[in-house]
Amino acid sequence: MGNRAYNFNAGPAALPLAVLQKAQEEIVEFKGIGMSIMEISHRSSEYEQVHNETQQLLKQIFGIPDGYQVLFLQGGASTQFAMIPMNFLKPGKVGSYVLTGAWAEKAVQEAGLFGEVSIAASSKEQKFMKIPDLSEINLHPDSAYLHVTSNETIEGAQFQAYPDTGNVPLIADMSSDILSRPVDVSKFGMIYAGAQKNLGPSGVTVVIVKDDMLQDLPKSIPTMLRYDIQSKNNSLYNTPPVYSIYMVNLVLKWIQEQGGLAVIEKNNLEKTGLIYSAIDQSGGFYRGPVDKGSRSTMNITFRLQDEELEKKFIKESEQHGFVGLKGHRSVGGLRASTYNAVPYESCKALADFMTDFQQRNG
């Protein structure tokens, strides 16, 4: 395939080339039915098979135990920030949150619209450059749940292990690192993720929720925002984002072909290792601001000594076919997002470019 960019976009982000080619092959006619998957009824047996197979694949690959539902919702992870307190933050209870960065902060703000919020731990004082130690998490006795953001896409800090919350449900926003490594799903009451980083294109949000979380939800919530209704209707209460779900199906099959999550994790550590060592061996030319024990394998953030040099780096990187290396507008600096679908070659090319740039500008 000709000029594929070195795509380090933070989301929507790189998709595996094999997946795009398969989708291209099937776009006009899906499996001999004379129509595209986008043209058929979401009530048809052909679509329903894709829908159910995608749920099964996710259960298999992620090791989701019995007693959990897989839902396909819309509105991105940002809508989940509101749906979670709407459904689970009952009167007299408190929503507990670990504050680790910009996305955790948004989740906290939304929860505050519906009830009382408790910050169980925070790294705000450290400018979010370190995930709080699990021992620092102070769980409010009336917690309805504890919410964590597994990987902060903007700052580049990631949970390396998860807290044990006893009988308080643990809820995780895994938008930017879902399926990047094996996870013990049974520790969680709910895991959710916008698809556009590691699962597929934007348009569908995956929710993995324990059956017992779906009991006795408030009747005052609008129909579309109720997990129990979505679950009872197998996420087909209204038209789902058919094409996005189909694409997630192809991405899951690709993950299976790679050898599953243990292999994916090994590949991710190798890929990001190249870029982190270019930072660490630069003698201070590049600075990785995140504490080494909290570094993300999905979003590598780094700085140069001044903004002029950073601008020069971005400009030259673009001329060399690199895309998406500018840091988020809220924090500046540089960021390489190295999701599952970003190939080893792209990361190797970036590490080489970084070393070369340093030799010319150091």
Side-chain angles (χ1 to χ4, degrees), residues 312 316 320 353 355-362:
K312 188 178 180 191
E316 284 190 26
H320 284 79
F353 171 76
T355 308
D356 175 59
F357 184 85
Q358 182 182 352
Q359 280 162 356
R360 289 181 289 108
N361 296 276

Side-chain angles (χ1 to χ4, degrees), residues 77-82 85 97-114 117 119 124 128 147 149 152 154-155 173 192 328-330:
S78 297
T79 298
Q80 294 304 308
F81 297 162
Y97 286 75
V98 180
L99 190 56
T100 46
W103 290 109
E105 226 161 16
K106 289 193 154 106
V108 167
Q109 276 169 347
E110 292 292 288
L113 302 173
F114 298 96
V117 173
I119 303 299
K124 194 165 187 166
F128 300 132
H147 180 284
T149 308
E152 286 285 359
I154 291 176
E155 291 85 3
D173 173 0
Y192 65 99
H328 190 272
R329 62 188 181 279
S330 63

Side-chain angles (χ1 to χ4, degrees), residues 2 5 33 76 142 213 237 334:
I33 64 173
D142 297 324
M213 301 275 291
Y237 184 84
L334 301 154

Side-chain angles (χ1 to χ4, degrees), residues 6 21 70 76 84 126 132 134 191 200 230 264 275 289 293 302 317 331:
Y6 298 124
Q21 287 168 333
V70 173
I84 289 164
Q126 291 79 38
L134 300 186
I191 291 169
Q230 296 288 0
I264 290 278
I275 301 167
F302 58 103
S317 72
V331 293

